């Protein structure tokens, strides 16, 4: 395993796992798919490729944050704001 | 600017959870149910942190009242950028009856003790929907209030607040110190990610009891019962207009 990037990959996994607690379909659903996704790439050794995958993982984090925000905003708007004419 | 901001945050049942009433009808089920920071409180914290990032205020202090678990909520506020936290310990029966009046007395006492210049709260909590704490706090301190704020700007020693009201927006100028309550469109709260939570572990949370602040948390309200809203009745489909008229007459509507 490429040593310097091992830390990056673990960091990414932990961050995604933490974010998964708020996943709409449930924590276990998220955790299963997260593990599968990471296990699929476990034999990759090329640092370039690993870096690319980590970057994609960071993008997923951003997408999840956006998803969570929009869900919450829409729910609050529906409950507390008057419908616009 | 040497201003200090006090932000009140409340630990409530997560907005996405399906609420269930307890069988004995005294309240809702909270054991084992996911809790998180009130969405409007998140917006309040975000605004305070933004003010600090713009160097308009010096320190952001997050406050929460309740049992041990509210420390989680304070930690989230610290992860979002607050500098330190204050946990006002209220537990058991006192916590069950803790309402806006008691919280506003606590916040007023803390504001004086910490010499805060600005208090930012969420406009209302999604569990009790009181929409009272901000207003009461301002009244107790005799401070001006900018409620339902959707935009906040500093102008010299005053605060320009754009408020969301029925029928549109109202812009007011209030002098500091003041109380502001955050409405939905004030800002987009940042998510407290794991790295932020880890960094926030170094920040301090002070413990205080209401008695230390000279506040009596006994409530003058008693909850008699809690019920679910009435079940929605199924609709009925009819084939012809005559049927419709017949059904309406049956129901005594015409």
């Amino acid at each position: 395993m490429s040593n310097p990037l091992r830390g990056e990959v673990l960091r990414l996994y932990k961050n995604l796992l933490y974010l998964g607690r708020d996943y709409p379909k449930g924590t276990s659903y998220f955790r299963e798919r997260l593990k599968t996704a990471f296990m699929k790439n476990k034999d990759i050794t090329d640092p370039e490729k690993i870096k690319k995958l980590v970057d994609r993982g960071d993008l997923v984090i951003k997408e999840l944050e956006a998803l969570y925000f929009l869900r919450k905003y829409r729910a609050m708007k529906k409950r507390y704001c008057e419908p616009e004419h | 600017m040497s201003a200090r901001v006090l932000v009140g945050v409340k630990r409530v049942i997560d907005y996405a959870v399906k609420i269930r009433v307890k069988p004995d009808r005294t309240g809702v089920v909270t054991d084992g149910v996911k809790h998180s920071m009130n969405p409007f409180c998140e917006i309040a914290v975000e605004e305070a942190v933004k003010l600090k990032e713009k160097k308009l205020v010096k320190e952001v202090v997050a406050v929460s009242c309740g049992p041990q678990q509210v420390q989680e909520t304070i930690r989230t506020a610290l992860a979002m950028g607050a500098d330190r936290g204050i946990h006002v310990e209220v537990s058991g029966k006192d916590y069950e009856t803790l309402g806006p009046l008691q919280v506003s007395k606590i916040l007023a006492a803390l504001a004086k003790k910490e010499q805060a210049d600005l208090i930012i709260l969420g406009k209302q909590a999604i569990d009790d929907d009181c929409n009272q704490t901000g207003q009461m706090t301002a009244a107790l301190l005799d401070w001006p209030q900018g409620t339902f704020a959707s935009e906040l700007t500093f102008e010299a020693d005053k605060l320009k607040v754009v408020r969301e009201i029925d029928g549109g927006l109202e812009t007011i100028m209030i002098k500091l110190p003041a109380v502001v309550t955050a409405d939905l469109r004030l800002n987009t709260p940042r998510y407290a990610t794991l790295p932020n939570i880890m960094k926030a572990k170094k920040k301090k949370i002070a413990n205080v009891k209401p008695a230390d602040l000279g506040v009596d948390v006994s409530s003058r309200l008693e909850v008699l019962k809690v019920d679910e809203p009435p079940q929605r009745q199924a609709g009925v489909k009819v084939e012809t207009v005559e049927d419709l008229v017949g059904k309406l007459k049956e129901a005594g509507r015409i």
Side-chain angles (χ1 to χ4, degrees):
Chain A
M1 262 258 221
S2 359
N3 263 312
L5 286 174
R6 183 188 162 85
E8 284 289 305
V9 174
L10 283 173
R11 171 196 62 86
L12 180 68
Y13 190 81
K14 276 191 244 178
N15 289 347
L16 279 166
L17 206 58
Y18 185 80
L19 268 172
R21 300 171 326 156
D22 288 331
Y23 197 66
K25 277 199 157 144
T27 316
S28 24
Y29 178 97
F30 185 89
R31 198 179 27 220
E32 266 173 49
R33 272 154 194 77
L34 177 67
K35 186 143 189 230
T36 317
F38 269 66
M39 282 301 158
K40 215 166 53 172
N41 297 321
K42 72 176 158 101
D43 292 320
I44 298 189
T45 50
D46 177 13
E48 282 284 320
K49 289 209 184 109
I50 296 181
K51 187 85 192 29
K52 268 212 174 74
L53 289 169
V54 169
D55 285 341
R56 205 168 79 190
D58 282 330
L59 208 73
V60 171
I61 289 182
K62 287 210 157 57
E63 284 180 359
L64 281 170
E65 289 179 13
L67 167 72
Y68 293 164
F69 167 70
L70 275 173
R71 253 186 109 226
K72 192 177 285 190
Y73 177 83
R74 284 179 183 151
M76 291 299 115
K77 184 163 175 224
K78 191 164 167 211
R79 290 180 205 175
Y80 292 104
C81 299
E82 287 297 308
E84 259 129 80
H85 305 292
Chain B
M1 242 241 181
S2 57
R4 178 173 292 137
V5 182
L6 211 64
V7 183
V9 296
K10 186 175 181 190
R11 178 176 182 264
V12 298
I13 296 181
D14 190 80
Y15 83 97
V17 167
K18 180 133 185 25
I19 309 290
R20 283 180 303 131
V21 176
K22 284 203 279 211
D24 60 5
R25 306 262 219 76
T26 55
V28 299
V29 179
T30 54
D31 287 334
V33 173
K34 181 169 183 213
H35 283 69
S36 48
M37 192 190 293
N38 181 37
F40 294 107
C41 296
E42 286 177 350
I43 299 175
V45 174
E46 177 65 26
E47 194 61 22
V49 173
K50 273 200 164 72
L51 289 176
K52 197 180 92 158
E53 286 170 349
K54 289 192 216 158
K55 300 225 185 345
L56 293 167
V57 301
K58 198 182 65 169
E59 196 187 26
V60 176
V61 184
V63 183
S64 194
C65 308
Q68 198 56 22
Q69 295 96 315
V70 305
Q71 295 217 354
E72 270 172 48
T73 316
I74 302 178
R75 291 249 167 256
T76 309
L78 294 173
M80 286 172 73
D83 298 294
R84 58 186 169 91
I86 300 178
H87 171 202
V88 182
E89 285 176 30
V90 181
S91 38
K93 207 84 201 57
D94 282 338
Y95 181 60
E96 281 171 36
T97 57
L98 194 70
L101 183 58
Q102 294 80 13
V103 174
S104 53
K105 286 182 185 167
I106 291 173
L107 288 175
L110 274 173
K112 291 202 191 110
K113 182 163 176 261
E114 300 286 331
Q115 293 177 309
D117 303 283
L118 181 59
I119 299 180
I120 310 184
L121 306 172
K123 73 169 178 180
Q124 67 197 77
I126 60 172
D127 53 5
D128 55 24
D129 283 322
C130 285
N131 196 324
Q132 298 167 357
T133 311
Q135 292 85 339
M136 284 180 172
T137 311
L140 287 169
L141 288 165
D142 199 22
W143 286 6
Q145 55 186 272
T147 52
F148 309 102
S150 68
E151 205 183 300
L152 206 58
T153 355
F154 273 74
E155 296 210 352
D157 62 340
K158 295 205 186 66
L159 212 57
K160 186 166 89 170
V161 184
V162 177
R163 309 177 55 225
E164 292 201 26
I165 58 173
D166 293 342
L169 300 169
E170 179 193 53
T171 309
I172 59 170
M173 287 285 257
I174 54 176
K175 276 201 220 155
L176 288 169
V179 176
V180 170
T181 69
D183 207 327
L184 189 61
R185 282 163 269 244
L186 182 59
N187 59 47
T188 314
R190 62 199 71 187
Y191 194 87
T193 55
L194 192 59
N196 297 115
I197 299 257
M198 287 296 147
K199 273 188 252 171
K201 286 208 160 138
K202 299 188 210 136
K203 300 184 186 174
K204 290 206 177 347
I205 299 182
N207 271 346
V208 180
K209 292 207 171 53
D212 301 339
L213 301 165
V215 173
D216 169 25
V217 285
S218 55
S219 174
R220 301 146 198 202
L221 298 174
E222 187 195 333
V223 174
L224 296 176
K225 72 171 158 93
V226 177
D227 272 325
E228 289 199 5
Q231 295 287 2
R232 246 190 93 182
Q233 297 295 334
V236 180
K237 275 194 172 156
V238 292
E239 294 293 310
T240 69
V241 178
E242 283 83 17
D243 280 351
L244 177 62
V245 173
K247 283 251 185 291
L248 284 170
K249 280 205 172 127
E250 250 176 69
R253 296 288 194 172
I254 50 170

